[in-house]
Amino acid sequence: MVRRFALAVGRSRVVTFVLLAACWAAALMTAAAPARGDDLKFKKVVINADSIFSAAAAFDVDHDGKIDIVAGGFWYKAPTWEKHVVRDVEVIGGRPDGYAAQPFDVNGDGWIDFIEANWRSGTIKWIEHPGASLGEWTPHVVATPGNMESGRLYDIDGDGNLDFVPNGANFAAWWQMIPKTLSDGAKTTEFIRRDLPRQVAGHGFGVGDVNGDGRVDLVGPGGWLEAPEDRVHGEWAWRPEFNLGRASVPFLVVDPDNDGDNDIVYTQGHAYGLTWQEQITNEAGERAWLYHEIDMTWSQGHELLWVDLDQNGRMEVVTGKRYWSHEGSDPGATDPLGVHRYEYNPQTKKWDHWMISENDGVGIGLDFKAIDIDGDTDLDLVMPGRSGLYLLENQLKSPAPVSDTAAH
């Protein structure tokens, strides 16, 4: 290519040199770029192959400076993953409660608790850390609104405090979380239900700024709720602009193509397909949505994360197959498990795809986490589900082994 271009300009040595310099510079930039694609590897660590809990959290349970893992009735102490009891978890209809595990210090005592949304019992609970005793944890029912696929923490009202947003099957609401100091000086968090228009309920939800006004909107499978200026007392306006089907919980309201507006990236929670609704402006100057298929070869992607695993400066979709969500009745239920990552390529305008884990027993469950669990500055994946509890340790910046002398 350099030779042909040089001939076209009369064999100009200057042009040829400039082009060669550009190629060399590009090669150096490529060589210096962080690992990606097949070069990015993950080490599978079995935390508990017999675990059946669908949600997990990762935080320092015992205040020893290391990130531990909490899933259902147990917590696992880093770095050996010794199992300890959290509590007895209710089993209802053959499934344990616990469809979310969102870490949050509810009572302000310096020990991290976690918040649950539950399908079987229809409850929102916070599970209280026992403190320095590290004994049994205490569940507290916040509300019983009905069946929920899962729930997440977002700052909905813009007050700087996180709020709890469940994905209600037959109701629509978020819980404002307000820190309080009681008369005796003790701290707590007040949970206040804020109802939403019922149209946003259903299988799937997302949170993000759809219309670019700086406020987070709430997105459901059949449309989105435009946030008013006063998100607590104002009226949320329903915009029925698409139909996402039985979408993931949550889906992503993000800008993968970097064109200045947020799109919607989602999977089908109980069927095949990872897809993308691109936000565009039509000929009439109105907002419209352009549907794209990203990968239709695997099924039951019930959750997505938006993270940068290879540290190249571009965010990626991380998702995968949930194991045995409806006792094998969903399309593709018996297909091999897999964990995937996808990155939008601005040159090809398509999504590059790599496997993180393939047919190795690892599913995504209902609430998996990306966190730097080993302190090496890259993100690892904590993977709960009915096929077990696993850690996928990112090898991008894997720490050197600690010598016996240093360990003691």
Side-chain angles (χ1 to χ4, degrees):
M1 180 171 67
V2 171
R3 183 181 303 166
R4 288 198 297 271
F5 191 86
L7 288 171
V9 295
R11 300 181 185 276
S12 167
R13 293 180 180 179
V14 174
V15 172
T16 302
F17 177 80
V18 170
L19 286 170
L20 286 171
C23 291
W24 291 331
L28 288 172
M29 290 176 65
T30 301
R36 57 175 294 179
D38 294 334
D39 294 329
L40 184 60
K41 303 295 184 184
F42 290 80
K43 175 185 175 182
K44 174 186 170 183
V45 179
V46 179
I47 306 299
N48 183 355
D50 296 323
S51 178
I52 59 171
F53 301 106
S54 293
F59 54 89
D60 185 358
V61 171
D62 53 358
H63 286 192
D64 68 350
K66 299 181 178 66
I67 303 298
D68 310 298
I69 295 174
V70 180
F74 304 97
W75 70 275
Y76 302 84
K77 179 178 173 59
T80 60
W81 311 117
E82 178 185 356
K83 184 169 72 169
H84 300 269
V85 171
V86 169
R87 65 186 180 101
D88 289 331
V89 177
E90 304 90 333
V91 176
I92 304 171
R95 301 278 187 96
D97 248 7
Y99 280 40
Q102 296 291 302
F104 189 84
D105 184 2
V106 175
N107 58 355
D109 64 355
W111 299 87
I112 301 297
D113 317 296
F114 62 95
I115 304 173
E116 291 185 346
N118 297 295
W119 178 272
R120 298 292 165 137
S121 66
T123 60
I124 297 171
K125 298 177 184 176
W126 70 278
I127 313 302
E128 182 180 359
H129 193 298
S133 71
L134 298 178
E136 188 167 347
W137 302 42
T138 304
H140 303 270
V141 176
V142 172
T144 308
N147 302 127
M148 290 162 283
E149 291 282 344
S150 195
R152 298 293 181 271
L153 293 168
Y154 303 95
D155 181 5
I156 298 299
D157 52 4
D159 66 352
N161 298 312
L162 290 172
D163 306 299
F164 189 67
V165 187
N167 176 216
N170 298 297
F171 73 92
W174 59 282
W175 271 257
Q176 186 181 17
M177 292 167 53
I178 303 175
K180 297 285 187 180
T181 300
L182 303 178
S183 58
D184 61 358
K187 296 180 179 180
T188 188
T189 298
E190 184 178 7
F191 291 80
I192 303 175
R193 175 172 174 156
R194 303 297 183 186
D195 285 311
L196 296 165
R198 171 67 179 76
Q199 295 98 317
V200 79
H203 197 300
F205 84 112
V207 176
D209 186 0
V210 174
N211 58 356
D213 64 358
R215 298 190 288 268
V216 293
D217 306 299
L218 298 176
V219 188
W224 62 284
L225 288 172
E226 182 177 347
E229 186 172 351
D230 183 349
R231 273 84 85 195
V232 175
H233 302 105
E235 183 176 349
W236 294 69
W238 175 240
R239 312 296 185 202
E241 297 178 356
F242 42 71
N243 184 356
L244 308 183
R246 299 179 75 190
S248 49
V249 183
F251 38 75
L252 304 174
V253 184
V254 294
D255 185 12
D257 53 357
N258 199 30
D259 65 352
D261 56 34
N262 279 331
D263 310 314
I264 302 170
V265 182
Y266 59 104
T267 49
Q268 292 300 312
H270 299 281
Y272 285 90
L274 168 64
T275 44
W276 170 34
Q277 295 277 357
E278 180 186 0
Q279 185 176 169
I280 61 172
T281 302
N282 62 22
E283 294 179 355
E286 300 170 335
R287 180 179 47 254
W289 301 90
L290 184 61
Y291 172 83
H292 303 271
E293 293 183 349
I294 299 173
D295 190 346
M296 308 299 289
T297 63
W298 57 271
S299 73
Q300 297 181 93
H302 214 279
E303 181 191 2
L304 300 86
L305 295 181
W306 184 238
V307 292
D308 183 5
L309 292 180
D310 58 11
Q311 296 186 359
N312 69 347
R314 291 200 293 269
M315 301 293 279
E316 306 153 57
V317 173
V318 178
T319 185
K321 181 181 174 63
R322 180 185 174 197
Y323 177 70
W324 223 241
S325 57
H326 283 161
E327 310 300 334
S329 63
D330 287 336
T334 59
D335 293 349
L337 289 172
V339 181
H340 309 256
R341 67 186 186 99
Y342 301 84
E343 184 180 280
Y344 183 76
N345 188 322
Q347 281 74 44
T348 64
K349 299 189 183 303
K350 296 183 182 298
W351 294 76
D352 297 329
H353 170 226
W354 302 276
M355 297 298 299
I356 294 175
S357 171
E358 186 172 11
N359 199 21
D360 200 21
V362 182
I364 65 165
L366 296 171
D367 189 358
F368 72 101
K369 299 295 195 300
I371 187 172
D372 179 13
I373 205 162
D374 51 11
D376 63 356
T377 74
D378 57 31
L379 291 175
D380 311 297
L381 299 172
V382 178
M383 312 298 292
R386 299 184 73 195
S387 62
L389 175 64
Y390 303 93
L391 170 65
L392 296 177
E393 188 178 312
N394 192 339
Q395 300 296 288
L396 179 66
K397 296 184 178 180
S398 182
V402 178
S403 68
D404 290 339
T405 302
H408 292 86

